[in-house]
Amino acid sequence: MLTNSEENYLKEIYNLEEYFNTEINTNLIAKKIDAKASSVTDMLKKLANKDLLIYQKYKGVKLNTNGKKKALSVIRKHRLWETFLVEKLDFNWDEVHDIAEELEHIRSEKLTNHLDAFLNFPVVDPHGHPIPNKEGDFKKMETICLSNLGIKQEGVLVGVKNSSDTFLRFLSNKNISIGCKIKVVHKEEFDNSLSINIGNNQFNISENVANNLYLKK
Amino acid sequence: MLTNSEENYLKEIYNLEEYFNTEINTNLIAKKIDAKASSVTDMLKKLANKDLLIYQKYKGVKLNTNGKKKALSVIRKHRLWETFLVEKLDFNWDEVHDIAEELEHIRSEKLTNHLDAFLNFPVVDPHGHPIPNKEGDFKKMETICLSNLGIKQEGVLVGVKNSSDTFLRFLSNKNISIGCKIKVVHKEEFDNSLSINIGNNQFNISENVANNLYLKK
DNA sequence: ACTAATATTTAGACTAGCCTAAAAATATTT
DNA sequence: AAATATTTTTAGGCTAGTCTAAATATTAGT
Ligand SMILES: [Mn+2]
Ligand SMILES: [Mn+2]
Ligand SMILES: [Mn+2]
Ligand SMILES: [Mn+2]
């Protein structure tokens, strides 16, 4: 049986591994979890003892099959609850993350699976992130980052990379949401900012913003 | 901000006060919470310091307005989630308590209120227990205990007192559920057991069982 | 290759929430 | 009203999860 804290570590380590595709080091985890490096070291030892990851002093850490499975279960719950909040309880996509951080630790598997069915087995959450199924499997969507699109090219927004409240609210304010058709009108060489077209509106976004938007052509 | 443990204490103290209508003592709480009396003493001091209840050494304890409000908020959440699980996720009334014990601690008030609306503002949970509204108000139902009914009298089952899994499963097995019309056919003087009629079935139940069933005439 | 900077781990301390055992207060018998 | 039994509190200890400060290992710069 895992504690909430252990579950959080596994989840964040999983996310970091996905993002960096390499062994994850102590400081990176500390930043994600918002704890001190020494606390992380303690927890890594504990998780290694519980056979959830491979830990070698000074060498970073890597989830094993066991740990990956647990991490995916937490991620599944997080994303199902976010979907529930948006689809059924009229929440906005920028209001659900913190609540899902609590709900993701509810233990009943039956609850998770019934929730999944109630929502009609959604495959992505409100931020376009894939929801693992009961077995932990999910399809990686073939997407392209907006910043890699060429001039005159277009695509439909299917996901955001950064899903902080502030970024999501920024997008909402600009009327950018999942499903929007986005077309690149101009790319500024100097700072890689983009001029884009959504519906009848045209405006500029920074490279940073473009880096966090994923499209399907 | 209250911890889960503090919330549990407030909730159970509230329930005990409702049940016994008197100051609640340490051992009673210890039994309910399933902890040792010494642990209870520690917690009572803490809750008194946080201005949630009145505690005098050796004299028992009594929630103040503040504490009652918090207790009712936890009870509201518990019963709303139980209702959600039965109404929306196809759970049985004997499967929901333990899950609601976890869900009742999710902090977002907006979540609670949206859930309430999603369920169409239910006034009782799956066990016939009243659900406090946003302000903490609820109507006490005028009910009569089955063991106080006379021969030939009848009523509709509207609530159970004991809502342990085992008792609820016992009722399910006998096809007794909220909404049933129950008629007293015979009362055994020796042990106060009852012969009752539900639909076309007639059978016997012990005084203990009758004590835990509440009817509306 | 040495030195300086950075990253990581260890050592020791703290809080919340629990425990056991002993002490103290209260309640019940005789 | 004593003696006994019960209840409650205190004292001291444990674990999980965090922290700070110090020690140690690794990496980078010259
Ligand atoms: Mn989230
Ligand atoms: Mn999400
Ligand atoms: Mn319950
Ligand atoms: Mn209930």
Side-chain angles (χ1 to χ4, degrees):
Chain A
M1 193 76 300
L2 298 175
T3 66
N4 287 8
S5 188
E6 289 169 335
E7 287 192 341
N8 283 333
Y9 273 86
L10 292 175
K11 181 186 62 169
E12 296 302 356
I13 294 168
Y14 181 94
N15 285 333
L16 289 168
E17 284 182 356
E18 288 296 288
Y19 194 93
F20 291 105
N21 267 313
T22 153
E23 310 247 304
I24 301 307
N25 60 33
T26 306
N27 268 347
L28 220 47
I29 300 171
K31 204 166 294 168
K32 262 283 176 198
I33 296 279
D34 195 27
K36 294 299 146 96
S38 54
S39 310
V40 173
T41 302
D42 284 352
M43 182 58 92
L44 294 182
K45 284 177 186 166
K46 191 150 59 120
L47 294 173
N49 269 339
K50 287 198 176 189
D51 190 31
L52 294 158
L53 46 75
I54 314 279
Y55 167 66
Q56 282 177 286
K57 269 191 192 185
Y58 297 100
K59 292 286 160 69
V61 89
K62 196 166 149 36
L63 294 181
N64 65 17
T65 319
N66 223 330
K68 247 175 221 153
K69 210 180 103 192
K70 301 288 187 185
L72 281 167
S73 148
V74 179
I75 289 168
R76 166 168 160 82
K77 288 187 279 179
H78 184 106
R79 293 181 180 166
L80 283 173
W81 282 115
E82 284 187 342
T83 306
F84 170 72
L85 293 173
V86 168
E87 301 275 304
K88 302 292 184 179
L89 298 195
D90 290 319
F91 277 76
N92 267 103
W93 71 343
D94 60 329
E95 304 174 301
V96 297
H97 183 81
D98 291 349
I99 302 177
E101 284 297 316
E102 299 187 45
L103 286 163
E104 73 191 3
H105 301 293
I106 305 291
R107 279 165 180 69
S108 163
E109 262 193 56
K110 179 165 182 179
L111 169 56
T112 308
N113 294 333
H114 280 218
L115 180 64
D116 195 12
F118 181 60
L119 299 170
N120 276 122
F121 307 100
V123 296
V124 293
D125 83 358
H127 313 109
H129 299 151
I131 301 178
N133 70 11
K134 217 192 302 212
E135 277 74 37
D137 304 324
F138 60 92
K139 258 216 297 290
K140 226 173 258 176
M141 247 191 299
E142 271 309 313
T143 58
I144 180 165
C145 185
L146 176 51
S147 47
N148 292 329
L149 228 59
I151 310 290
K152 300 263 155 88
Q153 288 191 299
E154 63 179 20
V156 172
L157 181 66
V158 292
V160 298
K161 189 154 142 203
N162 177 324
S163 54
S164 66
D165 298 0
T166 46
F167 183 57
L168 297 175
R169 260 199 297 278
F170 163 85
L171 295 178
S172 294
N173 285 338
K174 289 246 187 289
N175 258 298
I176 303 173
S177 61
I178 303 276
C180 277
K181 187 182 279 184
I182 301 179
K183 182 173 181 178
V184 176
V185 178
H186 176 74
K187 191 168 200 164
E188 189 58 58
E189 268 199 51
F190 170 60
D191 63 356
N192 285 317
S193 69
L194 297 180
S195 190
I196 61 171
N197 206 300
I198 299 183
N200 295 320
N201 298 319
Q202 180 167 328
F203 50 92
N204 294 313
I205 59 173
S206 68
E207 181 181 21
N208 191 339
V209 169
N211 279 336
N212 283 293
L213 297 177
Y214 282 90
L215 309 180
K216 195 153 192 168
K217 295 239 264 185
Chain B
M1 196 78 293
L2 299 175
T3 65
N4 287 9
S5 187
E6 289 168 334
E7 287 193 339
N8 284 332
Y9 273 84
L10 292 175
K11 181 186 61 170
E12 295 304 354
I13 293 169
Y14 181 93
N15 285 333
L16 289 168
E17 284 182 358
E18 289 296 288
Y19 194 95
F20 290 105
N21 266 313
T22 155
E23 308 248 301
I24 301 306
N25 59 35
T26 306
N27 268 347
L28 220 48
I29 300 171
K31 204 167 292 166
K32 260 286 176 193
I33 294 280
D34 196 28
K36 294 298 147 97
S38 54
S39 309
V40 173
T41 302
D42 284 352
M43 182 58 93
L44 294 182
K45 284 178 186 168
K46 191 150 59 120
L47 294 174
N49 269 337
K50 288 198 175 188
D51 190 32
L52 294 158
L53 47 75
I54 314 280
Y55 166 67
Q56 281 177 286
K57 269 193 190 183
Y58 296 102
K59 291 288 160 66
V61 92
K62 195 166 148 38
L63 293 182
N64 65 17
T65 319
N66 222 331
K68 245 174 222 155
K69 210 181 102 192
K70 300 288 187 186
L72 280 166
S73 148
V74 178
I75 289 168
R76 167 169 160 80
K77 288 187 279 179
H78 184 106
R79 293 180 181 167
L80 282 174
W81 281 116
E82 285 189 344
T83 305
F84 169 72
L85 293 173
V86 168
E87 300 276 304
K88 303 293 185 180
L89 298 195
D90 289 319
F91 277 77
N92 268 104
W93 70 343
D94 61 329
E95 303 174 303
V96 297
H97 183 80
D98 289 351
I99 302 177
E101 284 297 315
E102 298 187 47
L103 286 164
E104 73 191 4
H105 301 292
I106 305 291
R107 277 162 182 75
S108 164
E109 263 192 55
K110 179 165 182 178
L111 169 57
T112 308
N113 294 333
H114 280 218
L115 180 64
D116 195 12
F118 181 61
L119 299 170
N120 276 119
F121 306 101
V123 295
V124 294
D125 82 359
H127 313 109
H129 299 151
I131 301 179
N133 69 13
K134 216 192 301 210
E135 277 74 38
D137 304 323
F138 59 93
K139 260 216 297 291
K140 228 173 255 173
M141 246 192 300
E142 270 311 311
T143 58
I144 183 167
C145 185
L146 177 51
S147 46
N148 292 328
L149 229 58
I151 310 290
K152 299 264 156 84
Q153 290 190 296
E154 63 179 21
V156 173
L157 182 66
V158 291
V160 298
K161 189 155 142 200
N162 177 323
S163 55
S164 66
D165 297 2
T166 46
F167 182 56
L168 296 175
R169 261 198 296 277
F170 163 85
L171 295 179
S172 292
N173 286 338
K174 290 245 185 293
N175 258 297
I176 303 175
S177 60
I178 302 276
C180 276
K181 188 183 277 185
I182 302 181
K183 183 174 182 176
V184 176
V185 178
H186 176 73
K187 190 168 199 163
E188 190 57 60
E189 268 197 52
F190 170 61
D191 64 355
N192 285 318
S193 68
L194 297 179
S195 191
I196 61 171
N197 206 299
I198 298 183
N200 295 320
N201 298 320
Q202 180 168 328
F203 50 93
N204 295 311
I205 59 173
S206 69
E207 182 183 22
N208 192 339
V209 169
N211 280 336
N212 283 294
L213 297 178
Y214 282 88
L215 310 180
K216 195 152 191 170
K217 294 237 267 185

